[in-house]
Amino acid sequence: MSGRKVALITGITGQDGSYLSEFLLDQGYEVHGIIRRTSTFNTDRIDHIYIDPHSPDAKLFLHYGDLTDGTTLRRILEEVKPVEIYNLGAQSHVRVSFDSPEYTVDSVAMGALRILEAVRDYQQRTGIEVRFYQAGSSEMFGKVIEVPQKETTPFYPRSPYSCAKVYAHWQTINYRESYDLFACNGILFNHESPRRGETFVTRKITRAVARIVEGTQKKLYLGNLDSKRDWGYAKDYVKAMWMMLQQEQPDDYVVATGETYEIKEFLDIAFSHVNLDWHDYVAFDPRYLRPAEVDLLIGDPTKAKQKLGWSPSVTFEELVKLMVNADLINLNLPTPDGSQREDNTLNRRNFATIVD
Ligand code: NAP
Ligand code: GDD
């Protein structure tokens, strides 16, 4: 591997992209991110680490592009000359993927293929190794075949999103074996944080708790409360992505806590943290049901622990409380345990400098 520390991230404006950028900048990387052109800025999660690119201190650079636009992806690759690529970009909402299956598959499955093709050509032409990380998902396991789920558990995807992720997973392996690319799949179980998108169930709950305390929300409408998820802390999980690309050989890894909880247990901790009973506030709305559900996810992170030396640092209860606290702080409300802001991205906009 060359000594240059230049990374390219798709999905840099997302939850994981923002934590990974912080982590890589701390490791001394020059970080480049692909962002989509939008009519209003959507860079809130990375504004706090962005410095005007005209400054000699700038280490984070943004490029307009889209996973559905292969030409631009190739051009950015040629320009940036990264030694590591993290493919985190995706239409990542499982329920939405049933509404927009074509777009989801284009960005998730074809997007990964477009980057792999670009890397293959670039590496063949220049002889420079580019290490590639594919953001795979526990959703690929889908219908329960084996518990806990590990690298060898067969996939049974149950949504357009997870079918697309399975495609990207196997193409990553195919390119590794066919063209000798250093390409890794992370099979990451659910990971959450105060930066989690507001329509995923954990953040939807913690945001509602804060608004109920504030008095601006009366009810929280949810779908299926019986599914179980293996929830970890996003900051821990982005470190595992980087660790995979630092190994001698490329490989695929499950990243998980090894514990699973029902949505109801998340609700219990979140509401009781502010001395409320969720049964008084939660109502059912069938709109949030999926045509096919993934009932039980629980991962076996043994391989990541043994080979990468990775382990999660935040327990389920800590995760729920830190998310509730962050949403209370966002609304300038006191936290029950007196904790202060852990996250410096929210409620902050710095868009005067963000892009030309
Ligand atoms: P996220 O918050 O939804 O972020 C997704 C990112 O992808 C955003 O930056 C989004 O840009 C970008 N994006 C969407 N469509 C795109 C397109 N067509 N071209 C380029 N970029 C596009 O997701 P996340 O939670 O950070 O997850 C990161 C990755 O890990 C995703 O691939 C997700 O599927 C996968 N994953 C997540 C989890 C989890 O629990 N979080 C678990 C397993 C796998 P905008 O900001 O412009 O929308
Ligand atoms: N989003 C949402 N909204 N989910 C709800 C709701 C609701 O109102 N009510 C119940 N749920 C249930 C869903 O049916 C699902 O069983 C569970 O809560 C978790 O849903 P999400 O938080 O949307 O996450 P996900 O597990 O479907 O997908 C997330 O994790 C995957 C990894 O397993 C996403 O981040 C995916 O991108 C990721 O791959």
Side-chain angles (χ1 to χ4, degrees):
M1 208 170 148
S2 87
R4 279 179 77 242
K5 284 179 149 186
V6 179
L8 176 63
I9 303 175
T10 72
I12 193 167
T13 53
Q15 169 188 260
D16 291 5
S18 67
Y19 284 122
L20 180 64
S21 300
E22 282 172 3
F23 177 80
L24 294 175
L25 289 169
D26 279 350
Q27 301 292 317
Y29 279 73
E30 180 179 300
V31 175
H32 293 256
I34 297 180
I35 61 167
R36 301 193 286 174
R37 193 271 159 181
T38 48
S39 64
T40 52
F41 287 104
N42 63 348
T43 51
D44 300 38
R45 292 184 178 109
I46 51 170
D47 284 352
H48 65 292
I49 47 173
Y50 188 82
I51 299 174
D52 188 322
H54 305 98
S55 159
D57 297 331
K59 290 274 182 210
L60 171 64
F61 302 93
L62 301 176
H63 308 260
Y64 282 119
D66 198 296
L67 284 162
T68 60
D69 175 0
T71 312
T72 312
L73 295 174
R74 279 176 179 268
R75 192 177 302 130
I76 294 170
L77 175 62
E78 293 286 341
E79 196 183 312
V80 171
K81 299 182 175 44
V83 294
E84 293 171 13
I85 297 182
Y86 297 86
N87 184 32
L88 311 186
Q91 189 303 92
S92 73
H93 200 285
V94 174
R95 175 69 191 80
V96 172
S97 80
F98 287 98
D99 301 329
S100 300
E102 278 187 40
Y103 174 70
T104 301
V105 171
D106 195 4
S107 60
V108 173
M110 292 302 293
L113 180 66
R114 290 181 184 107
I115 299 187
L116 285 164
E117 270 290 271
V119 171
R120 165 194 171 191
D121 290 347
Y122 175 83
Q123 193 166 295
Q124 229 157 41
R125 187 173 54 74
T126 62
I128 300 168
E129 182 181 76
V130 183
R131 297 189 169 200
F132 176 80
Y133 172 82
Q134 168 57 26
S137 165
S138 50
E139 276 290 304
M140 299 188 294
F141 294 122
K143 199 165 182 171
V144 183
I145 292 179
E146 187 180 23
V147 173
Q149 291 109 9
K150 47 184 181 284
E151 291 78 4
T152 50
T153 303
F155 296 140
Y156 194 139
R158 306 204 81 204
S159 64
Y161 166 79
S162 51
C163 289
K165 284 287 184 188
V166 170
Y167 176 91
H169 176 93
W170 280 108
Q171 282 295 19
T172 300
I173 293 172
N174 182 36
Y175 274 63
R176 178 165 81 210
E177 294 176 354
S178 303
Y179 307 116
D180 204 22
L181 294 194
F182 193 108
C184 299
N185 286 297
I187 307 173
L188 270 54
F189 282 63
N190 297 49
H191 45 280
E192 319 292 316
S193 74
R195 297 184 199 172
R196 185 57 141 153
E198 289 89 344
T199 60
F200 296 95
V201 77
T202 55
R203 184 77 198 289
K204 188 170 166 182
I205 294 170
T206 61
R207 195 163 165 265
V209 167
R211 286 161 60 87
I212 287 167
V213 171
E214 190 190 37
T216 48
Q217 185 168 339
K218 300 275 177 254
K219 285 276 172 214
L220 168 60
Y221 291 94
L222 295 174
N224 173 26
L225 301 187
D226 295 325
S227 57
K228 297 177 95 175
R229 291 290 182 272
D230 179 332
W231 278 298
Y233 183 36
K235 231 181 200 176
D236 288 337
Y237 285 49
V238 299
K239 193 172 171 198
M241 299 174 185
W242 174 79
M243 287 171 146
M244 288 177 213
L245 297 198
Q246 311 315 308
Q247 302 305 303
E248 290 204 348
Q249 296 299 327
D251 208 341
D252 308 321
Y253 298 88
V254 158
V255 179
T257 68
E259 293 179 12
T260 194
Y261 296 92
E262 284 182 14
I263 318 277
K264 287 174 192 157
E265 293 173 275
F266 195 105
L267 285 165
D268 268 335
I269 297 175
F271 277 80
S272 62
H273 188 47
V274 294
N275 291 320
L276 295 175
D277 182 342
W278 65 267
H279 298 91
D280 298 334
Y281 300 93
V282 172
F284 174 67
D285 185 339
R287 206 152 68 91
Y288 300 116
L289 296 176
R290 288 135 195 226
E293 180 61 280
V294 171
D295 296 323
L296 168 63
L297 291 176
I298 175 165
D300 176 358
T302 304
K303 183 174 171 185
K305 284 187 176 171
Q306 287 177 351
K307 291 202 163 177
L308 303 178
W310 178 87
S311 59
S313 74
V314 173
T315 66
F316 176 66
E317 187 170 342
E318 287 168 346
L319 175 66
V320 180
K321 288 182 177 172
L322 79 82
M323 288 179 69
V324 172
N325 285 345
D327 276 318
L328 289 168
I329 292 166
N330 279 338
L331 299 179
N332 297 316
L333 296 168
T335 55
D337 49 18
S339 66
Q340 303 294 312
R341 176 174 295 278
E342 78 84 34
D343 191 288
N344 50 2
T345 67
L346 304 168
N347 289 343
R348 199 156 161 232
R349 284 190 163 252
N350 178 28
F351 45 75
T353 55
I354 199 84
V355 269
D356 297 323

